Amino acid sequence: MHRTTEQHHPIDRLYRSLEPEDTSTAVSVIVKLRGETCDIDCPHCYEKRKEVPGGARIRPDQIGQLARLFRGRPLAVELHGGEPLTAGREAIAEVLCELAAQPQVVRVSMQTNGVQLDGQWLDLFDELCPGLQIGISLDGDAQGNAWRIGYDGEPVYPRVAAALELLAERGRKGGVITTVTPAVLARAEQVLDHLAAFEAVNAVSFVPCFDSTIRRSTAIRARRIPVSRLLQQAALSGDDGPAWAIHPDEYAEFVLAATAHWISAGHFTRIKLEPAVSTIRRLRGLGSGFCHFSDLKCDHVFTLYPDNRFGSCDELPWPQARLTQIDEVTGQDELARLQQGSLLLNQGKALMAKCAGCDYRSSCGGGCIATRWRQDPAADGDAYCDYRMRMVDGIAALLAQPANPEGVWCQTLRWQPRTPNSMRDVSAFTARWDNPAAARAEVRLYASEHGNINTVGLPGVHEADDLDPAHPKWREAIEPQVWPLVDALTTGWGLITYDSCQGHQYGGLDLAPAELRVGLLPRDRAEYARTAAALCRAATAAEVPGGIEVRVARSELACETSGTTVPVLDLSLHPDHQQDWDAYFTNLDTASRALAAALTAENPAGTTCACPLPAPAAKDRAVAG
């Protein structure tokens, strides 16, 4: 059993090691049909930065070697480059025939710049691989494609757009990969609309260009320097990295704006948008096939070059990512040992070490190690993690209040699901709250010596009966120190509270201290949007003592009767990272009163929160062309 991830890295749920005996988990192999050879010369191309001579072609026997290496395991193959179509029809036909002969190959896809794609190519694909999934590299509209150029420096956008039109004429669908550079910043809606206007496009993936570490131009083997490389050299003349690079917070804003528009414009009905869809799936507790959100990361992604180089993901730095030669490895046991001994892969896992204790690990999935490398974590602190959390928070807001997308820009409310967090019958509780004439059942109220009020009178998390203000024991059921907040939110704001806790220190017990909190159950999405904005304003205005912070969290409440979940909001007081729990409880009463006063001064009207809208990206940032 190869359990090195579990033994040496506490991230086995985020990064799974290759287990040779596992015959159910697929691996992905990126087949570089022509290595880095390409018919265009994008300055930001990571493949050409590897500076390995190209020209050779993948042979059918190498595909057979792949199948033998991963015998008994599902295999997903992506034909890639450089530009795969430069291999020529005969060579690609032989490769497709070999792939068709391997029953374990469950998916074949091709990522192309589309420049050479024509009717003859599509005829070939229809004949030999009708299920071939075609992806086109297109950075939005003509302006967005400023960095996709030929060796002559001229834009290739018109030819790529023509390829998408051809796909539509042939009744084919395809995905588009769009690299987010300064050429598209602050134009997410316009760029998405442009891509959606292509009938063939059924998926769009926005990928970040975090190239802040790039400081030198790609090597040139030709005697004459092509115009494209002169443009690249000019783009590298600044002190802040390449002119095509963006910062993680810019990418987060772009993705959130695109996702909000994807929903409001109705594009979600026919276009899969990444990373939005994978984020939504993780927020819903579902898995994702996108390795940035999955535990099948670098140990389950391989790259094969024409010269038999075989290694991990092509986006990782090479030659460090190289593991072996395909004709020298005998089986998956040996491959797993090579992975275990890879300095690069082990360093990559180390980058994810803090993910194990992160509150966002279940929604973020740990992200992409190769992207982390390019972002240069040593120089930019937690910028990568900050963008991932910001993206999750914003998309969680869109899910909860799709009709009020301005909530995506609130940076006060964070996605912090609570476990456990359930109620026997949410609908019945809500209906009873709003009907004072409804019958109220007897409840069990017992207090622990630490002040907990629940059905058993014990400290810690235990079942508590669900009461409403019309119940005769309503006031008795609320712990005293949290009552001012509960009263302000129920009497003053007219909201439903589904949970509350005054905070407990649990001295002498083996229990973690509990913070003061109130859980709010909005009646509908409109009330949710108003409440979220008002809580942001109140939290911002509250003058709580230093060392204590007000947190407002988005979460979900599970209904045990129906098996469904509803969006809820949690308001709480926490010690900040510089204060211990003793000081927290010393100042908690003062903080609670200050927060109650801020709540009393507010009301849940309107959906504008206290957070500023993002500043538009500078329109004059230099681009190629």
Side-chain angles (χ1 to χ4, degrees), residues 24-46:
S24 62
T25 303
V27 295
S28 298
V29 180
I30 302 162
V31 176
K32 298 286 186 178
L33 287 179
R34 291 295 305 284
E36 57 85 32
T37 299
C38 190
D39 48 1
I40 64 175
D41 196 37
C42 307
H44 59 322
C45 177
Y46 66 82

Side-chain angles (χ1 to χ4, degrees), residues 426-444:
V426 174
S427 296
F429 174 69
T430 304
R432 186 170 63 249
W433 186 288
D434 290 330
N435 182 10
R440 264 70 184 175
E442 287 294 322
V443 296
R444 301 155 293 172

Side-chain angles (χ1 to χ4, degrees), residues 237-256:
S237 61
D239 296 328
D240 299 327
W244 62 75
I246 63 169
H247 193 269
D249 59 0
E250 294 176 312
Y251 177 65
E253 288 187 3
F254 181 91
V255 168
L256 292 176

Side-chain angles (χ1 to χ4, degrees), residues 1-20:
M1 293 284 287
H2 296 280
R3 304 293 297 180
T4 55
T5 302
E6 184 175 355
Q7 293 168 3
H8 302 294
H9 304 278
I11 55 170
D12 55 305
R13 293 186 179 180
L14 295 167
Y15 187 121
R16 199 189 317 176
S17 292
L18 182 71
E19 297 179 359

Side-chain angles (χ1 to χ4, degrees), residues 228-290:
S228 55
R229 297 301 171 90
L230 294 175
L231 291 171
Q232 184 191 57
Q233 292 170 5
L236 286 164
S237 61
D239 296 328
D240 299 327
W244 62 75
I246 63 169
H247 193 269
D249 59 0
E250 294 176 312
Y251 177 65
E253 288 187 3
F254 181 91
V255 168
L256 292 176
T259 305
H261 187 64
W262 176 65
I263 294 172
S264 62
H267 293 319
F268 68 90
T269 60
R270 73 174 188 87
I271 291 177
K272 177 184 178 183
L273 182 67
E274 291 290 7
V277 168
S278 288
T279 304
I280 291 169
R281 289 186 63 83
R282 293 301 299 247
L283 286 168
R284 290 285 183 249
L286 304 172
S288 168
F290 190 2

Side-chain angles (χ1 to χ4, degrees), residues 442-472:
E442 287 294 322
V443 296
R444 301 155 293 172
L445 299 178
Y446 298 96
S448 78
E449 60 181 10
H450 289 82
N452 308 80
I453 298 177
N454 51 46
T455 61
V456 291
L458 295 174
V461 178
H462 296 279
E463 182 184 5
D465 286 329
D466 302 317
L467 280 75
D468 60 87
H471 197 286

